[in-house]
Amino acid sequence: MNGSRSGRGRKIVLWRHGQTAWNLERRFQGSTDIELTEEGVGQARRAARLLASLKPDAVVASDLRRAAATAAELAAVTGLTVAHDAALRETYAGAWQGLTHVEIVERFGEQYAAWKRGEPVRRGGGELETEVADRAAPVVLEHAEKLPADGTLVVVSHGGTIRTTIGRLLGLEAHHWEGLGGLTNCCWSVLGEGARGWRLLEHNAGTLPEPVLGDDD
């Protein structure tokens, strides 16, 4: 976003999907297509009412069921049509997918530690975090570019993908992205457009005081 086009007051709300059974089991989902629990649907429904008050202009979501179902709750109260894009899926993490947190630490301890240190790691032989940002951030910007002045875009995605996208849009170096804490199920972060680019206005906002349970913690 160059300086000549900034300052228009647009906002991007990056909203994490609701609870899944694998979240509760602390099982790494990655790109596995896991659906919402009943509680997850309820979370999405409650959060959608709050997000609708922002009067969003557009909604784009990952095509994985947990994100698509979350987005559908916002569509139901706003009347907006949701665009789905596979580029907003969660990080593909190969051999880590389907394993619990404990199993990952036991089997891939050094790889996990290196990731937490901010080193470029192909977790389970999958994607680098920078590769996730390479595919997701351009999609977010493409939809943001279509907003009217002062318009709001809601992006419904996954914890890891949202964190890497925020890091990229803020211009942070990749090894600093870990400094952005994970998102709780159905909570969101807000980026606002300022004179020098995107700024983080809110992080992990919402009314659900639950622990972060997901691939990104």
Side-chain angles (χ1 to χ4, degrees):
M1 198 64 57
N2 62 45
S4 65
R5 304 193 65 174
S6 61
R8 290 172 51 194
R10 295 176 293 188
K11 289 186 173 62
I12 301 172
V13 179
L14 297 118
W15 184 26
R16 188 184 172 213
H17 63 79
Q19 181 197 89
T20 71
W22 279 22
N23 288 153
L24 292 176
E25 296 167 9
R26 298 212 62 194
R27 195 174 295 280
F28 200 105
Q29 294 178 122
S31 59
T32 312
D33 198 7
I34 307 300
E35 62 188 6
L36 297 178
T37 61
E38 185 175 338
E39 173 61 21
V41 174
Q43 290 173 340
R45 197 160 290 158
R46 292 190 295 272
R49 290 196 294 267
L50 295 172
L51 292 175
S53 69
L54 301 178
K55 301 189 182 336
D57 298 278
V59 185
V60 60
S62 159
D63 63 343
L64 294 179
R65 285 182 294 173
R66 57 192 185 272
T70 299
E73 296 298 333
L74 183 58
V77 292
T78 62
L80 294 170
T81 299
V82 179
H84 297 94
D85 199 311
L88 297 175
R89 289 181 178 185
E90 183 59 290
T91 308
Y92 171 65
W96 283 29
Q97 295 190 173
L99 299 182
T100 65
H101 180 79
V102 170
E103 289 169 337
I104 290 169
V105 173
E106 286 177 348
R107 300 182 197 180
F108 301 94
E110 179 47 41
Q111 196 179 71
Y112 179 84
W115 170 54
K116 283 299 181 184
R117 288 194 298 267
E119 297 174 17
V121 174
R122 293 189 180 278
R123 288 170 285 169
E127 292 178 286
L128 294 173
E129 290 191 327
T130 50
E131 291 171 341
V132 178
D134 287 344
R135 61 171 163 83
V139 170
V140 173
L141 288 176
E142 175 189 344
H143 285 270
E145 285 285 351
K146 299 174 185 176
L147 291 172
D150 300 318
T152 297
L153 169 69
V154 176
V155 179
V156 191
S157 187
H158 310 265
T161 302
I162 289 173
R163 184 171 61 86
T164 59
T165 298
I166 290 173
R168 176 63 55 80
L169 294 187
L170 293 180
L172 301 176
E173 294 182 21
H175 66 274
H176 291 311
W177 293 353
E178 171 66 12
L180 295 164
L183 289 181
T184 302
N185 284 121
C186 258
C187 288
W188 58 86
S189 293
V190 182
L191 298 179
E193 192 177 23
R196 290 184 289 173
W198 295 100
R199 305 171 66 202
L200 184 61
L201 304 181
E202 294 185 72
H203 187 57
N204 200 24
T207 58
L208 302 169
E210 299 292 334
V212 175
L213 298 174
D215 298 350
D216 205 46
D217 59 347

